Amino acid sequence: MNSFNTDEDTKKILQKYNHCRVKIYTFNQSRYPRINKESLLPVAKDVSYSGENTEAWYPPGHGDIYASFYNSGLLDTFIGEGKEYIFVSNIDNLGATVDLYILNHLMNPPNGKRCEFVMEVTNKTRADVKGGTLTQYEGKLRLVEIAQVPKAHVDEFKSVSKFKIFNTNNLWISLGAVKRLQEQNAIDMEIIVNPKTLDGGLNVIQLETAVGAAIKSFENSLGINVPRSRFLPVKTTSDLLLVIYICSTLL
C-alpha cells in the first residue's frame, strides 16, 4: 500500500523486477485534508495536489488499508483466486516474513475455530515503551496506542513490568472477514488526533487510524508472542548495519 507521496517512486523501483516470476501488486491509500487547528476548517483551497495545496493533504495512517484494499479491487481478486489470508507488516520491518507455523495454526486451529485476525506481539524493552499493547475489554482484544493514553497514565503505559508486550504490526487477517466487515461498514477503529506544524508554521490536525485497532471488529482474534527476530525495523543506516550484523552472526 502506497500513499500519494510514495506511489511514483515505488513504481520506478518495481520496474527493475518485471522479469521476476513473482507478481507484485500495489494500490494507493486515501488522501485526507489537513485541518487548521484554529479554525477547524480544511487547509486545502481545492481538491488539487499542487502548488500551495501540496502540504494540505496527508495519508491517514495504515488503518486505511481496509477501505483502500477493498476499493482497489484487489481484495475481490485475491478471494476469487482462492486466497484466504493476507499477511500485513510495516515495510521497514525486515524481520516480517511469512511464518509457516503461524500459517499452519490459522489453517488448522487446535480448537477447530479459525481466527479472523492474529497480531504478533513481542516482549517489550525500554526501547519499545511507545509501542501499542493489547488489552481485553468486553470479551474482545483491543489495541491501545500511546496517543490514546491520558497524560496522567503515560508513565504507567510505558512500564515494561505492567505492559510486557507490544504490537509488532505483523498481522494475519482473513480476507473473507475483511470483505464482510467492509460491506457491513463494521470495522471500528479509534481516531488518533495527530497535531502537526507545517513548514510555514501553520498548526494543523491530522485524523489517523492504526491498522491493528480493528482487531476488536474481528471474530476469534488472537495475539501471538513471537521472538524479537520478527521485529527488526530499519529506519536509519545504523539500523540496517545492525540487522546485517545480527544476520551474519546467526549464519
Side-chain angles (χ1 to χ4, degrees):
M1 179 174 74
N2 284 315
S3 74
F4 55 88
N5 291 319
T6 60
D7 187 50
E8 290 301 320
D9 288 338
T10 300
K11 287 178 179 177
K12 290 177 184 177
I13 294 295
L14 292 181
Q15 287 177 357
K16 300 178 182 179
Y17 300 92
N18 287 336
H19 64 284
C20 295
R21 296 177 62 186
V22 176
K23 290 183 180 180
I24 303 176
Y25 300 90
T26 66
F27 63 96
N28 261 345
Q29 68 177 120
S30 305
R31 187 179 72 179
Y32 282 19
R34 288 183 165 125
I35 306 298
N36 186 309
K37 189 175 182 180
E38 300 300 324
S39 67
L40 298 182
L41 294 174
V43 175
K45 305 297 183 184
D46 52 52
V47 296
S48 66
Y49 178 66
S50 60
E52 63 179 13
N53 254 2
T54 303
E55 277 197 330
W57 303 92
Y58 72 98
H62 41 58
D64 188 52
I65 187 173
Y66 304 104
S68 295
F69 186 40
Y70 178 88
N71 293 334
S72 72
L74 283 176
L75 175 62
D76 283 334
T77 296
F78 292 158
I79 291 175
E81 292 173 351
K83 296 177 173 65
E84 297 184 44
Y85 285 92
I86 185 172
F87 175 59
V88 178
S89 68
N90 292 349
I91 198 166
D92 62 6
N93 181 7
L94 299 192
T97 58
V98 173
D99 187 303
L100 296 182
Y101 290 103
I102 296 177
L103 184 59
N104 181 61
H105 181 87
L106 289 168
M107 302 303 296
N108 304 288
N111 62 0
K113 187 177 180 181
R114 286 193 179 185
C115 297
E116 291 186 346
F117 193 111
V118 167
M119 175 183 290
E120 294 184 31
V121 298
T122 196
N123 293 342
K124 183 190 288 189
T125 69
R126 296 195 180 280
D128 313 306
V129 292
K130 293 184 179 181
T133 193
L134 280 179
T135 61
Q136 193 160 22
Y137 181 71
E138 295 182 343
K140 291 276 190 176
L141 286 177
R142 292 173 180 256
L143 177 67
V144 179
E145 299 278 7
I146 192 169
Q148 300 168 260
V149 179
K151 289 183 179 180
H153 297 283
V154 167
D155 288 341
E156 187 179 6
F157 177 83
K158 291 180 177 180
S159 169
V160 296
S161 58
K162 184 161 189 176
F163 295 100
K164 299 179 180 180
I165 58 170
F166 73 98
N167 171 31
T168 66
N169 236 22
N170 295 348
L171 309 170
W172 303 74
I173 310 171
S174 163
L175 293 176
V178 173
K179 181 177 175 65
R180 182 190 77 241
L181 292 170
Q182 270 298 127
E183 293 179 346
Q184 294 175 353
N185 195 26
I187 294 184
D188 181 21
M189 293 175 287
E190 290 79 11
I191 303 296
I192 299 172
V193 179
N194 190 2
K196 295 277 186 178
T197 301
L198 303 185
D199 289 342
L202 180 66
N203 293 321
V204 298
I205 293 172
Q206 297 182 179
L207 304 180
E208 304 177 3
T209 55
V211 59
I215 189 171
K216 64 179 180 293
S217 300
F218 291 82
E219 296 299 323
N220 201 30
S221 297
L222 185 67
I224 296 181
N225 196 330
V226 298
R228 184 74 184 202
S229 58
R230 289 191 57 75
F231 183 70
L232 298 172
V234 172
K235 300 182 184 296
T236 65
T237 303
S238 298
D239 291 339
L240 180 59
L241 291 174
L242 180 60
V243 170
I244 293 171
Y245 172 77
I246 293 172
C247 291
S248 62
T249 303
L250 291 175
L251 293 174

